[in-house]
Amino acid sequence: MQTEYIDLKNVIDEEKLREAAIAIKNGDLVLFPTETVYGLGANGLDEDAVKKIYKAKGRASDNPLILHIAKIEMIDILVENINEIEHKLIENFWPGPLTIIFKRKPIVPDIITAGLDTVAIRMPKNIIARKLIEYSGKPIAAPSANISGKPSGTLLKDIKEEFEGKVRYMIDGGKVDIGLESTVVRVINNKVHILRPGRITKENIESIGYEVVIEKQILGEYDGKEKVLSPGIKYKHYAPDTKTVLVYSKENEKMVSKIKELALEKKAVILCRSENQSQYRDIETLNMGESLEEISSNIFMLLRKADKLEKELILIEGVEEEGLGLAIMNRLIRASGHNYIKL
Ligand code: TXA
Ligand code: MG
């Protein structure tokens, strides 16, 4: 398939966007930006179109997809009923980086939900994503745009090669804002369970008055036996090919010395905060930034960059598992294949 590239980095070309929306309607794949990460989109009500997503990504068929909507009215055809807490979550956090799991209606194809009786829905904030959905008139199924197991795409240039010839259009919207996939939640017995942490934090949800439960697999290892609320947890994700080790200590000096020690034995590159960069003198470093927001927007791009350097080892400085730090550590622990040294 011939892939056409649409550059909307600086201005939105309405005509081109409508062409891409027609491709969605016709059952083709379109790669597009959202505020979290790039998505690999297809008409979520067209089973054959959705099959192409699984094929292009090499994704396991028991890992369900998120349906993206542009207007709240779109939700009524997809979900059974919305309770008060779900209404409040929608009111407070949509459009934005929050995915909510609802009881699904029969119109949602099994291939979207991997046979579950629930469906994941999100209303993105990114204007290109919103218009693409609106112009197509369909809920768009879209996983993160990356080959399964690899870091999600936060810049089109990082994923262009992976999907060249597999999608009808690639829409370039520049570097995404957030850089981590949406927070995935499900309301169970009046509590909000976080199945995947993201930019909407536990603290954000508590601030609107609800009790939040963080699923324990988020920072731990999946043992292959336990029942999981979110099938995505079972799979390897975000991982570079190079061996990767994550190190964290509340005491910065302790973390830095451990990383230096590990870097002695092998040809290494270090992903570190700007404030620590000068401490690693002779070792190559990549700057993750200062604030948690900066770090979250940079990590997937830097994991890809580090992998290309062909070192023997990628070493990463961890952050405190609080607020947005929880989502960052969830991705980093998985990126390192659970090679996590906590001091
Ligand atoms: O920010 C995002 O959410 C991005 C952008 C493109 O919107 N999308 C994304 O999709 O990250 P994906 O497919 O990479 O991750 C979807 C996650 C998976 O972990 C999946 O297991 C979970 O959501 N999920 C989907 N449907 C579910 C359901 N019915 N019940 C539980 N978990 C579900
Ligand atoms: Mg993904």
Side-chain angles (χ1 to χ4, degrees), residues 37 57 59 63 143-146 149-150 152 181 196 237-238:
V37 296
K57 262 189 82 112
R59 183 177 175 112
N63 194 4
S144 52
N146 52 277
K150 293 287 142 210
S152 303
E181 306 84 348
R196 178 175 73 182
H237 206 344
Y238 319 116

Side-chain angles (χ1 to χ4, degrees), residues 271-286:
L271 267 61
C272 66
R273 296 183 98 131
S274 350
E275 60 183 29
N276 288 334
Q277 216 168 6
S278 64
Q279 299 205 54
Y280 295 115
R281 285 188 206 119
D282 300 328
I283 315 160
E284 187 163 357
T285 53
L286 293 171

Side-chain angles (χ1 to χ4, degrees), residues 32-41 53 57 59 62-68 96-102 104 112-114 116-122 124 140-146 152 180-186 195-196 228-235 237-238 331 334:
F32 66 100
T34 82
E35 70 277 25
T36 56
V37 296
Y38 274 81
L40 177 63
I53 294 180
K57 262 189 82 112
R59 183 177 175 112
D62 68 345
N63 194 4
L65 300 173
I66 299 171
L67 289 181
H68 297 71
L98 182 76
T99 295
I100 308 174
I101 311 288
F102 297 95
R104 68 143 153 166
I112 292 288
T113 67
L116 300 172
D117 59 359
T118 53
V119 60
I121 315 262
R122 170 161 115 83
I140 296 187
S144 52
N146 52 277
S152 303
L180 296 179
E181 306 84 348
S182 61
T183 307
V184 178
V185 298
R186 179 168 172 186
L195 314 189
R196 178 175 73 182
V228 290
L229 281 173
S230 178
I233 272 194
K234 296 188 292 188
Y235 296 100
H237 206 344
Y238 319 116
R331 305 315 191 272
R334 300 185 69 192

